[in-house]
Amino acid sequence: MEYDKILAQIQQEFSDTQPSGKVASYIPELAKVPASKFGMHLYDLNGENYQFGDSAERFSIQSISKVFTLSLAMKVMGDDLWNRVGVEPSGDPFNSLSQLENDSGIPRNPYINAGALVVADVLVSSFTNPKAALLTFLHELTGDTSIDFDYTVAASEQSEGYRNYAMVNYLKSFGNIENNVEDVLDFYFHQCAIAMSCRELAQAFIIFANQGTTLDSDREFLTGRQVKRINALMQTCGFYDEAGEFSFEVGLPGKSGVGGGIVAVNPYHYAVAVWSPPLNHKGNSALGMAALERLTTLTGYSIF
Ligand code: GLU
Protein backbone atom coordinates (compact mmCIF):
# COMPACT_ATOMS: atom_id res chain seq x y z
CA MET A 1 0.00 0.00 0.00
CA GLU A 2 1.38 3.39 -0.98
CA TYR A 3 0.73 5.17 2.30
CA ASP A 4 3.23 7.92 1.42
CA LYS A 5 1.20 8.98 -1.63
CA ILE A 6 -2.11 8.63 0.20
CA LEU A 7 -0.99 10.78 3.15
CA ALA A 8 0.40 13.38 0.73
CA GLN A 9 -2.97 13.46 -1.02
CA ILE A 10 -4.84 13.89 2.27
CA GLN A 11 -2.54 16.75 3.27
CA GLN A 12 -3.05 18.36 -0.11
CA GLU A 13 -6.83 17.97 -0.06
CA PHE A 14 -7.12 19.67 3.31
CA SER A 15 -4.38 22.26 2.86
CA ASP A 16 -6.81 25.13 2.34
CA THR A 17 -9.51 23.88 4.70
CA GLN A 18 -10.38 26.07 7.65
CA PRO A 19 -11.34 23.45 10.23
CA SER A 20 -14.90 23.82 11.44
CA GLY A 21 -15.66 23.55 15.14
CA LYS A 22 -14.10 25.05 18.25
CA VAL A 23 -10.99 24.37 20.29
CA ALA A 24 -11.98 23.01 23.74
CA SER A 25 -12.07 25.81 26.29
CA TYR A 26 -13.63 24.21 29.38
CA ILE A 27 -10.07 23.26 30.34
CA PRO A 28 -8.54 26.78 30.16
CA GLU A 29 -5.05 25.63 29.10
CA LEU A 30 -6.42 23.79 26.05
CA ALA A 31 -7.97 27.00 24.69
CA LYS A 32 -4.44 28.37 24.13
CA VAL A 33 -3.57 25.77 21.46
CA PRO A 34 -3.62 27.21 17.90
CA ALA A 35 -6.60 25.97 15.88
CA SER A 36 -4.46 25.64 12.77
CA LYS A 37 -2.34 22.71 14.03
CA PHE A 38 -2.76 19.67 11.81
CA GLY A 39 -0.69 16.52 11.61
CA MET A 40 -0.98 12.82 10.89
CA HIS A 41 1.27 9.82 11.46
CA LEU A 42 0.75 6.25 10.26
CA TYR A 43 2.90 3.38 11.54
CA ASP A 44 2.43 0.07 9.75
CA LEU A 45 3.19 -3.50 10.72
CA ASN A 46 6.27 -3.52 8.49
CA GLY A 47 7.69 -0.90 10.85
CA GLU A 48 7.41 1.89 8.25
CA ASN A 49 6.46 5.44 9.27
CA TYR A 50 4.52 7.95 7.17
CA GLN A 51 3.58 11.43 8.32
CA PHE A 52 2.78 15.04 7.47
CA GLY A 53 2.30 18.42 9.17
CA ASP A 54 2.56 18.82 12.93
CA SER A 55 2.86 15.08 13.50
CA ALA A 56 5.92 15.36 15.76
CA GLU A 57 4.51 18.05 18.07
CA ARG A 58 3.20 16.94 21.43
CA PHE A 59 -0.35 17.81 22.49
CA SER A 60 -2.69 16.93 25.34
CA ILE A 61 -3.96 13.42 24.68
CA GLN A 62 -6.91 13.77 27.12
CA SER A 63 -9.37 10.87 26.69
CA ILE A 64 -7.03 8.89 24.45
CA SER A 65 -5.30 8.07 27.76
CA LYS A 66 -8.37 5.99 28.70
CA VAL A 67 -7.20 3.24 26.34
CA PHE A 68 -3.86 3.02 28.16
CA THR A 69 -5.39 2.99 31.64
CA LEU A 70 -7.97 0.40 30.58
CA SER A 71 -5.14 -1.79 29.27
CA LEU A 72 -3.34 -1.61 32.63
CA ALA A 73 -6.54 -2.24 34.60
CA MET A 74 -7.36 -5.31 32.49
CA LYS A 75 -3.88 -6.64 33.17
CA VAL A 76 -4.10 -6.20 36.93
CA MET A 77 -7.76 -7.04 37.52
CA GLY A 78 -8.75 -9.49 34.78
CA ASP A 79 -12.43 -10.17 34.19
CA ASP A 80 -13.44 -8.89 37.65
CA LEU A 81 -13.13 -5.39 36.17
CA TRP A 82 -16.44 -5.94 34.33
CA ASN A 83 -18.30 -6.12 37.65
CA ARG A 84 -17.49 -2.45 38.12
CA VAL A 85 -17.84 -1.03 34.60
CA GLY A 86 -19.99 -2.05 31.62
CA VAL A 87 -19.25 -2.57 27.94
CA GLU A 88 -22.21 -0.85 26.26
CA PRO A 89 -22.20 2.43 24.34
CA SER A 90 -23.75 5.21 26.38
CA GLY A 91 -25.31 7.29 23.61
CA ASP A 92 -24.76 10.22 25.97
CA PRO A 93 -22.05 12.89 26.19
CA PHE A 94 -18.74 11.77 27.73
CA ASN A 95 -19.30 13.74 30.93
CA SER A 96 -22.94 12.84 31.53
CA LEU A 97 -24.03 11.99 35.06
CA SER A 98 -27.60 11.01 34.31
CA GLN A 99 -27.19 7.29 33.53
CA LEU A 100 -25.39 6.59 36.80
CA GLU A 101 -28.62 7.07 38.74
CA ASN A 102 -30.52 4.38 36.83
CA ASP A 103 -27.49 2.08 36.54
CA SER A 104 -26.74 2.18 40.30
CA GLY A 105 -23.27 3.63 39.87
CA ILE A 106 -21.99 1.16 37.23
CA PRO A 107 -20.76 3.29 34.30
CA ARG A 108 -21.82 2.11 30.84
CA ASN A 109 -18.24 1.70 29.55
CA PRO A 110 -14.59 2.54 30.41
CA TYR A 111 -14.27 5.35 27.82
CA ILE A 112 -16.84 7.76 29.22
CA ASN A 113 -15.58 9.83 32.13
CA ALA A 114 -17.50 7.87 34.78
CA GLY A 115 -16.00 4.59 33.54
CA ALA A 116 -12.52 6.06 33.27
CA LEU A 117 -12.76 7.29 36.86
CA VAL A 118 -13.57 3.75 38.05
CA VAL A 119 -10.60 2.48 36.02
CA ALA A 120 -8.44 5.21 37.59
CA ASP A 121 -9.60 4.01 41.02
CA VAL A 122 -8.53 0.44 40.13
CA LEU A 123 -5.04 1.70 39.25
CA VAL A 124 -4.80 3.85 42.40
CA SER A 125 -5.63 0.67 44.39
CA SER A 126 -3.22 -1.53 42.42
CA PHE A 127 0.00 0.51 42.26
CA THR A 128 1.99 2.25 44.97
CA ASN A 129 2.74 4.99 42.44
CA PRO A 130 0.06 4.77 39.71
CA LYS A 131 1.32 7.85 37.82
CA ALA A 132 4.79 6.33 37.53
CA ALA A 133 3.27 2.98 36.47
CA LEU A 134 1.34 4.68 33.67
CA LEU A 135 4.38 6.59 32.42
CA THR A 136 6.52 3.44 32.54
CA PHE A 137 3.91 1.65 30.41
CA LEU A 138 4.07 4.44 27.81
CA HIS A 139 7.88 4.54 27.90
CA GLU A 140 7.98 0.80 27.27
CA LEU A 141 5.46 0.98 24.43
CA THR A 142 7.26 3.80 22.63
CA GLY A 143 10.88 3.42 23.75
CA ASP A 144 10.78 7.14 24.61
CA THR A 145 11.36 7.99 28.26
CA SER A 146 10.72 11.70 27.77
CA ILE A 147 6.92 11.23 27.56
CA ASP A 148 5.47 13.00 30.60
CA PHE A 149 2.47 14.78 32.06
CA ASP A 150 1.90 18.43 31.17
CA TYR A 151 1.54 19.65 34.75
CA THR A 152 0.07 23.00 33.69
CA VAL A 153 -2.77 21.26 31.84
CA ALA A 154 -3.38 18.93 34.80
CA ALA A 155 -3.56 21.89 37.20
CA SER A 156 -5.85 23.72 34.78
CA GLU A 157 -8.37 20.88 34.75
CA GLN A 158 -7.94 20.35 38.49
CA SER A 159 -9.03 23.94 39.07
CA GLU A 160 -12.19 23.73 36.93
CA GLY A 161 -13.11 20.05 36.63
CA TYR A 162 -16.33 20.39 38.61
CA ARG A 163 -18.21 17.71 36.70
CA ASN A 164 -15.50 15.15 37.33
CA TYR A 165 -15.53 16.05 41.04
CA ALA A 166 -19.29 15.53 41.03
CA MET A 167 -18.99 12.26 39.15
CA VAL A 168 -16.39 10.65 41.38
CA ASN A 169 -18.29 11.63 44.51
CA TYR A 170 -21.48 10.23 43.02
CA LEU A 171 -19.71 6.97 42.10
CA LYS A 172 -18.35 6.76 45.63
CA SER A 173 -21.86 7.13 47.05
CA PHE A 174 -22.74 3.89 45.17
CA GLY A 175 -19.64 2.15 46.58
CA ASN A 176 -17.87 2.01 43.20
CA ILE A 177 -14.80 4.04 44.26
CA GLU A 178 -12.44 2.48 46.82
CA ASN A 179 -10.00 5.33 47.34
CA ASN A 180 -10.05 8.91 48.51
CA VAL A 181 -11.78 10.93 45.75
CA GLU A 182 -8.93 13.48 45.67
CA ASP A 183 -6.40 10.72 44.92
CA VAL A 184 -8.53 9.31 42.09
CA LEU A 185 -9.06 12.76 40.56
CA ASP A 186 -5.39 13.66 40.86
CA PHE A 187 -4.47 10.53 38.91
CA TYR A 188 -7.28 11.08 36.36
CA PHE A 189 -6.38 14.73 35.66
CA HIS A 190 -2.75 13.73 35.16
CA GLN A 191 -3.51 10.81 32.83
CA CYS A 192 -5.57 13.20 30.66
CA ALA A 193 -2.70 15.72 30.70
CA ILE A 194 -0.13 13.35 29.17
CA ALA A 195 1.52 15.08 26.21
CA MET A 196 2.33 12.93 23.17
CA SER A 197 2.76 13.49 19.44
CA CYS A 198 0.92 11.71 16.63
CA ARG A 199 4.11 9.73 16.02
CA GLU A 200 4.32 8.57 19.62
CA LEU A 201 0.62 7.72 19.76
CA ALA A 202 0.81 5.64 16.57
CA GLN A 203 3.82 3.79 18.02
CA ALA A 204 2.06 3.17 21.34
CA PHE A 205 -1.14 1.98 19.63
CA ILE A 206 0.63 -0.52 17.35
CA ILE A 207 0.00 -3.21 20.01
CA PHE A 208 -3.73 -2.90 19.27
CA ALA A 209 -3.04 -3.64 15.59
CA ASN A 210 -0.56 -6.41 16.39
CA GLN A 211 -2.34 -8.69 18.85
CA GLY A 212 -0.79 -7.04 21.90
CA THR A 213 2.87 -7.19 20.86
CA THR A 214 5.22 -4.30 20.05
CA LEU A 215 7.10 -4.34 16.76
CA ASP A 216 10.52 -3.08 17.90
CA SER A 217 10.95 -5.05 21.10
CA ASP A 218 8.61 -7.91 20.11
CA ARG A 219 7.28 -7.86 23.65
CA GLU A 220 3.75 -9.09 24.44
CA PHE A 221 1.97 -6.48 26.58
CA LEU A 222 -1.58 -7.79 26.14
CA THR A 223 -3.12 -11.07 25.02
CA GLY A 224 -5.04 -11.36 21.76
CA ARG A 225 -8.25 -11.69 23.78
CA GLN A 226 -7.58 -8.48 25.69
CA VAL A 227 -6.81 -6.62 22.45
CA LYS A 228 -10.03 -7.92 20.88
CA ARG A 229 -11.97 -6.46 23.78
CA ILE A 230 -10.14 -3.13 23.90
CA ASN A 231 -10.65 -2.67 20.15
CA ALA A 232 -14.32 -3.68 20.36
CA LEU A 233 -14.83 -1.01 23.02
CA MET A 234 -13.03 1.57 20.86
CA GLN A 235 -15.32 0.67 17.96
CA THR A 236 -18.55 0.97 19.95
CA CYS A 237 -17.66 3.57 22.59
CA GLY A 238 -14.52 5.45 21.47
CA PHE A 239 -16.20 8.63 20.23
CA TYR A 240 -18.63 9.71 22.93
CA ASP A 241 -22.11 9.76 21.41
CA GLU A 242 -20.65 9.80 17.89
CA ALA A 243 -19.26 6.23 17.78
CA GLY A 244 -21.85 5.27 15.17
CA GLU A 245 -20.87 8.18 12.95
CA PHE A 246 -17.16 7.34 13.24
CA SER A 247 -17.85 3.69 12.33
CA PHE A 248 -20.01 4.86 9.45
CA GLU A 249 -17.48 7.35 8.05
CA VAL A 250 -14.14 5.74 8.94
CA GLY A 251 -14.80 2.11 9.83
CA LEU A 252 -11.94 1.58 12.29
CA PRO A 253 -11.72 1.19 16.06
CA GLY A 254 -10.39 4.40 17.54
CA LYS A 255 -10.36 6.85 20.43
CA SER A 256 -10.58 10.61 20.46
CA GLY A 257 -9.73 13.25 23.04
CA VAL A 258 -10.79 16.84 23.59
CA GLY A 259 -7.21 17.96 22.84
CA GLY A 260 -8.14 17.28 19.18
CA GLY A 261 -6.32 13.97 18.80
CA ILE A 262 -7.74 10.76 17.34
CA VAL A 263 -5.94 7.42 17.20
CA ALA A 264 -7.32 4.55 15.13
CA VAL A 265 -6.11 1.05 14.32
CA ASN A 266 -6.57 -1.17 11.33
CA PRO A 267 -5.85 -4.58 12.91
CA TYR A 268 -2.96 -6.46 11.24
CA HIS A 269 -2.16 -3.37 9.14
CA TYR A 270 -1.41 -0.11 10.98
CA ALA A 271 -2.00 2.38 13.79
CA VAL A 272 -2.66 5.99 12.78
CA ALA A 273 -2.91 9.20 14.79
CA VAL A 274 -4.22 12.57 13.65
CA TRP A 275 -4.35 15.93 15.43
CA SER A 276 -6.43 19.02 14.72
CA PRO A 277 -7.69 20.92 17.81
CA PRO A 278 -11.09 22.30 16.67
CA LEU A 279 -13.86 19.94 17.85
CA ASN A 280 -17.27 19.34 16.34
CA HIS A 281 -20.38 19.70 18.52
CA LYS A 282 -19.97 16.11 19.80
CA GLY A 283 -16.42 16.81 21.02
CA ASN A 284 -14.44 15.03 18.28
CA SER A 285 -11.80 16.63 16.05
CA ALA A 286 -13.71 17.68 12.93
CA LEU A 287 -10.74 17.71 10.58
CA GLY A 288 -9.29 14.59 12.20
CA MET A 289 -12.43 12.61 11.41
CA ALA A 290 -12.51 13.93 7.85
CA ALA A 291 -8.85 13.01 7.30
CA LEU A 292 -9.39 9.46 8.58
CA GLU A 293 -12.45 9.10 6.36
CA ARG A 294 -10.21 9.92 3.40
CA LEU A 295 -7.59 7.41 4.61
CA THR A 296 -9.97 4.44 4.61
CA THR A 297 -11.61 5.60 1.37
CA LEU A 298 -8.34 6.13 -0.50
CA THR A 299 -6.75 2.90 0.76
CA GLY A 300 -9.99 1.05 0.02
CA TYR A 301 -10.06 -0.86 3.27
CA SER A 302 -11.42 -0.45 6.75
CA ILE A 303 -12.44 -3.30 9.05
CA PHE A 304 -15.74 -3.62 7.16
N1 GLU B 1 -10.02 15.49 30.86
C1 GLU B 1 -11.20 15.55 30.06
C2 GLU B 1 -12.44 15.52 30.91
O1 GLU B 1 -12.52 14.75 31.79
C3 GLU B 1 -11.16 14.45 29.05
C4 GLU B 1 -12.33 14.49 28.13
C5 GLU B 1 -12.07 13.93 26.77
O2 GLU B 1 -11.00 14.06 26.19
O3 GLU B 1 -13.03 13.35 26.27
O4 GLU B 1 -13.35 16.25 30.73
Side-chain angles (χ1 to χ4, degrees):
M1 189 63 69
E2 293 183 313
Y3 292 123
D4 49 349
K5 290 199 177 126
I6 288 170
L7 262 67
Q9 181 172 340
I10 295 170
Q11 182 179 28
Q12 163 71 28
E13 284 182 15
F14 291 106
S15 57
D16 293 331
T17 307
Q18 292 298 322
S20 58
K22 286 206 177 91
V23 179
S25 58
Y26 77 101
I27 300 172
E29 264 319 288
L30 294 186
K32 298 179 182 167
V33 180
S36 57
K37 296 286 179 189
F38 183 37
M40 191 173 199
H41 189 105
L42 186 149
Y43 183 41
D44 76 6
L45 257 63
N46 297 321
E48 301 292 337
N49 289 282
Y50 307 89
Q51 66 281 310
F52 67 73
D54 301 308
S55 61
E57 185 169 330
R58 287 181 174 164
F59 60 93
S60 193
I61 70 169
Q62 292 297 319
S63 274
I64 296 169
S65 65
K66 294 171 181 170
V67 183
F68 300 128
T69 53
L70 174 63
S71 301
L72 283 178
M74 285 172 72
K75 277 161 81 79
V76 295
M77 205 170 163
D79 284 346
D80 289 346
L81 179 63
W82 310 117
N83 297 325
R84 293 185 57 190
V85 60
V87 295
E88 296 296 339
S90 73
D92 263 345
F94 66 96
N95 55 7
S96 168
L97 283 144
S98 60
Q99 284 172 344
L100 286 176
E101 175 93 60
N102 287 337
D103 295 346
S104 305
I106 305 294
R108 288 279 166 101
N109 69 68
Y111 293 151
I112 51 173
N113 282 15
L117 286 162
V118 169
V119 168
D121 182 57
V122 167
L123 299 185
V124 171
S125 294
S126 306
F127 294 100
T128 321
N129 187 341
K131 288 186 206 162
L134 177 56
L135 287 181
T136 299
F137 183 46
L138 296 177
H139 297 166
E140 287 173 350
L141 288 179
T142 57
D144 188 335
T145 54
S146 70
I147 292 172
D148 202 353
F149 307 111
D150 181 328
Y151 292 93
T152 313
V153 172
S156 179
E157 187 168 12
Q158 206 133 21
S159 70
E160 307 235 346
Y162 304 115
R163 265 184 175 265
N164 288 320
Y165 281 92
M167 205 160 322
V168 78
N169 278 290
Y170 200 35
L171 286 162
K172 188 147 176 107
S173 77
F174 286 105
N176 203 5
I177 293 290
E178 293 172 349
N179 297 282
N180 181 322
V181 297
E182 294 294 341
D183 294 341
V184 177
L185 284 165
D186 182 62
F187 176 76
Y188 176 76
F189 291 140
H190 281 82
Q191 75 169 72
C192 290
I194 289 168
M196 288 171 79
S197 65
C198 288
R199 181 188 177 97
E200 290 158 349
L201 283 168
Q203 283 173 341
F205 267 63
I206 203 74
I207 58 167
F208 304 113
N210 192 37
Q211 291 289 294
T213 301
T214 50
L215 290 187
D216 291 350
S217 54
D218 200 27
R219 183 164 158 200
E220 187 184 87
F221 282 88
L222 295 165
T223 65
R225 180 172 181 260
Q226 288 170 326
V227 166
K228 176 184 75 177
R229 293 177 154 196
I230 292 165
N231 286 352
L233 286 166
M234 282 199 260
Q235 190 76 44
T236 53
C237 314
F239 294 86
Y240 319 123
D241 48 343
E242 204 175 28
E245 179 79 8
F246 191 82
S247 281
F248 184 71
E249 295 291 344
V250 179
L252 298 176
K255 185 73 200 82
S256 64
V258 295
I262 300 178
V263 193
V265 293
N266 199 330
Y268 307 104
H269 295 287
Y270 60 75
V272 62
V274 61
W275 176 44
S276 166
L279 309 177
N280 65 20
H281 69 292
K282 299 270 176 114
N284 294 306
S285 168
L287 189 53
M289 275 181 75
L292 290 171
E293 190 280 329
R294 291 303 288 148
L295 177 68
T296 51
T297 298
L298 291 169
T299 55
Y301 64 103
S302 67
I303 66 158
F304 296 108

